[in-house]
Every structure is written in structure tokens, then in C-alpha cells.
Amino acid sequence: MNFVKSSLCIALVSGLSFSAFADVDVYGKANVTVQSSDDGEGSFTEIKSNASRFGLKGSEKITDGLEAVYKFEFQVDVSDADSKGDNDDNISARNQYVGLKGAYGQVVVGRNDTALKQSQGKLDLFNDLEGDIKNVFKGENRLGDSITYTSKSYEGFKVLATFIAEDDVDADNGYSMAVTYGDAALKKSAVYASVAADSEVNGYDVVRASIQGKVESFKLGAMYQTQEKVDGSAEAGGYLLNAAYSMGKNTFKVQYQAMDFDDSDDKTAVSVGVDHKFNKNIKVFGFYSSFDMDNNVDQDYVGLGMEYKF
């Protein structure tokens, strides 16, 4: 299976003509950590690939004011293998879609992050690592059978909407909506904020409000979320607070996350870390993440890693 997947990817790239390939943006990143992990039964050492990926994306003009857009992104596990060095699951799908972009925004069809997932922007300081907010909060969904609309920016505001088709006569379609304000990278605005909601998405209804701001060398962020299973069997509410301080090429980070459940199965997560950037594409980093689970075993992780973007 691994050979087949790899062959398909190679064929996709090699099958493009040189003229077409010149219009394709090839990108990716490798993020790998060496870490001591304790999932509740004692610590062990492992090497993890943290959402390492490669992708192809581009666009083509159809008429004045209208163009076709596409993205085919794959996640690559560059570390995990069995005793023979084989791994049939080292390539998996990420965002993959095709669509249209024009004066009123963009519509894409395929597999994509939902509007609610996109609404967090770059708030999660430990995204893709053990301290990723998805380990406490629901709503971090990337789903197929979806249509996503993203509006143009109007006075800094954008509207995002996702429709998820449930290809089952007994299932309900899902809907995800978000309104955002500002620049998620905090380069064009000092504040980024959003309000988002999911209805019948991956088994949950979710409401989320997020805000992140920059003051000199500090970035401060907060998120509040409520979530409920669609069958009403579990309700919860929680929040996230974080801060990052940049000093030269170093960024120091701390993040706290808590979720209170109606059945007392509360969860909290604390992460601290530091990044050192060599340049805009290469960094090394370290982190410590700890999870306190009321009705489950506690978890602790310490890691050192490197990220290279291309």
C-alpha cells in the first residue's frame, strides 16, 4: 500500500508538463521531535512526526475576476516504522479540494478544515504538538464531502461557512459558520478575533469565541468554548489562555486549557516551550505538556524538535 501511495504521488508530479509545473506551488514542512512520553503507564522515548506534510496548490484564470483554485496536500509520517522499517500508513490525506475564486470570495469542494477550525487562526501556540488544543476541545475537524465558502475581507471582517454532506439517509448534514476580524498572522492588524459555531458536525454542536492580540514583543490569546454531543449525552464548557514573548530569535510560550464536563470528567492542560529560529524556514524548539484528567490517567510529555519549511 505504501508503494502504491508513493507511486501515485510521484506520478502526479511527474505527469505535469513543464509549462504546467511552472504554475504549481510545491510546498511542505518536516516537523520531528525526540520526546519522553508518559501516557499514564510509565515514560518511554519516541520519535514523532508532527503533521509533516507536502502539497501542491495553484490557480488558473478563467475570465477577468474569476479563477479556478486547487490544493492537494498530504501528511507524511517521517518517523514511524515497524521492526522491518515498513509503514503502510505513512502518507495520508489533508486538505484536498478544487473550486472557484472571484469578486465575492472563494468556494471549494472536497476535503477541508471546517469554518470553526479555521476560525482559531494561529491562536494555538502548540499546534500539531502534544499540547494541541484538539486534545481537550472538540471542533478541530477536517472533513470530506464538504463545501466551504470564504468571503472577501470587508473592513477587516470575513465570513466562512462549511456544509458537510452526510452520505447516509439516516444522518443529518453538518454546518459550520464563522465570522473573523483582522489578520490571523497579526502582521496587518494588532488584533485577530472570531466567533464560530458547529451544528451536527462530527457528532457535536460547538460554539467558540477566540481573540489574539499583539503588544510590542508580546502575543496574548484567549478562547472560550461550549460543546455538546448531538444526542445531548454530554455537555461541557471551557477556556484557553496563552502568551508568547519574542526576544531576538527566541520565542517563549505558555498555554493553559481547561474543560469542565457535566459528568465531572474535567480536563486541564498546561504547555510551556521555547522556539529558536535560524531563519524564516528553519527552527528548533523544546516543550513540556502535562494533562490532568479527572477520570483517566494523567499524561506528561517532554520533547526537543526541529522544523524545516519549504
Side-chain angles (χ1 to χ4, degrees), residues 192-254:
Y192 174 80
S194 65
V195 177
D198 278 355
S199 176
E200 303 276 353
V201 177
N202 205 20
Y204 279 85
D205 296 332
V206 178
V207 176
R208 173 183 291 181
S210 307
I211 187 168
Q212 186 178 38
K214 185 176 181 179
V215 181
E216 296 183 348
S217 298
F218 285 93
K219 287 183 181 180
L220 302 174
M223 178 184 290
Y224 176 75
Q225 176 163 314
T226 62
Q227 59 192 48
E228 180 182 2
K229 283 189 176 181
V230 295
D231 61 7
S233 62
E235 297 181 22
Y239 64 93
L240 173 150
L241 298 171
N242 64 25
Y245 175 71
S246 297
M247 184 173 64
K249 294 184 177 182
N250 300 307
T251 300
F252 301 90
K253 307 181 295 185
V254 59

Side-chain angles (χ1 to χ4, degrees), residues 28 36 41 55 61 73 88 127 137 145 152 155 163 207 259-260 267-268 279 282 284 295 299:
S36 174
E41 298 181 357
K61 180 179 177 181
E73 186 172 287
D88 290 340
N127 186 50
F137 288 175
D145 296 323
K152 302 279 281 188
E155 301 296 329
F163 168 78
V207 176
M259 180 62 76
D260 296 328
K267 298 180 181 180
T268 60
N279 55 46
I282 304 173
V284 293
N295 296 335
Q299 302 168 7

Side-chain angles (χ1 to χ4, degrees), residues 38-63:
D38 185 349
D39 295 328
E41 298 181 357
S43 62
F44 57 94
T45 302
E46 62 178 330
I47 298 175
K48 292 198 70 173
S49 177
N50 305 295
S52 299
R53 69 199 68 167
F54 73 93
L56 309 171
K57 62 182 179 179
S59 63
E60 183 171 339
K61 180 179 177 181
I62 300 174
T63 63

Side-chain angles (χ1 to χ4, degrees), residues 81-287:
D82 60 24
S83 59
K84 296 180 180 179
D86 298 324
N87 186 353
D88 290 340
D89 300 318
N90 71 322
I91 297 179
S92 57
R94 288 178 59 84
N95 291 338
Q96 299 176 349
Y97 55 72
V98 64
L100 297 172
K101 183 177 181 180
Y104 297 100
Q106 176 178 279
V107 177
V108 297
V109 180
R111 179 183 293 101
N112 201 13
D113 294 341
T114 63
L116 184 137
K117 184 176 189 297
Q118 293 184 51
S119 73
Q120 71 155 289
K122 297 183 180 297
L123 179 64
D124 186 1
L125 299 180
F126 293 87
N127 186 50
D128 294 332
L129 301 177
E130 300 292 352
D132 192 306
I133 67 171
K134 69 182 180 182
N135 294 311
V136 177
F137 288 175
K138 298 295 182 180
E140 296 295 290
N141 296 305
R142 176 182 298 115
L143 300 174
D145 296 323
S146 68
I147 304 172
T148 300
Y149 167 74
T150 305
S151 76
K152 302 279 281 188
S153 178
Y154 298 99
E155 301 296 329
F157 289 92
K158 285 186 179 181
V159 175
L160 296 83
T162 304
F163 168 78
I164 303 100
E166 291 291 345
D167 48 2
D168 188 327
V169 69
D170 295 322
D172 294 324
N173 295 324
Y175 302 88
S176 183
M177 298 283 295
V179 177
T180 70
Y181 173 78
D183 171 30
L186 298 179
K187 294 181 179 179
K188 298 179 181 179
S189 65
V191 175
Y192 174 80
S194 65
V195 177
D198 278 355
S199 176
E200 303 276 353
V201 177
N202 205 20
Y204 279 85
D205 296 332
V206 178
V207 176
R208 173 183 291 181
S210 307
I211 187 168
Q212 186 178 38
K214 185 176 181 179
V215 181
E216 296 183 348
S217 298
F218 285 93
K219 287 183 181 180
L220 302 174
M223 178 184 290
Y224 176 75
Q225 176 163 314
T226 62
Q227 59 192 48
E228 180 182 2
K229 283 189 176 181
V230 295
D231 61 7
S233 62
E235 297 181 22
Y239 64 93
L240 173 150
L241 298 171
N242 64 25
Y245 175 71
S246 297
M247 184 173 64
K249 294 184 177 182
N250 300 307
T251 300
F252 301 90
K253 307 181 295 185
V254 59
Q255 184 161 286
Y256 178 79
Q257 194 177 1
M259 180 62 76
D260 296 328
F261 292 82
D262 59 359
D263 59 2
S264 299
D265 185 18
D266 299 338
K267 298 180 181 180
T268 60
V270 178
S271 294
V272 295
V274 59
D275 297 346
H276 176 80
K277 276 197 170 185
F278 292 107
N279 55 46
K280 67 178 182 179
N281 295 324
I282 304 173
K283 72 176 182 180
V284 293
F285 59 91
F287 70 86

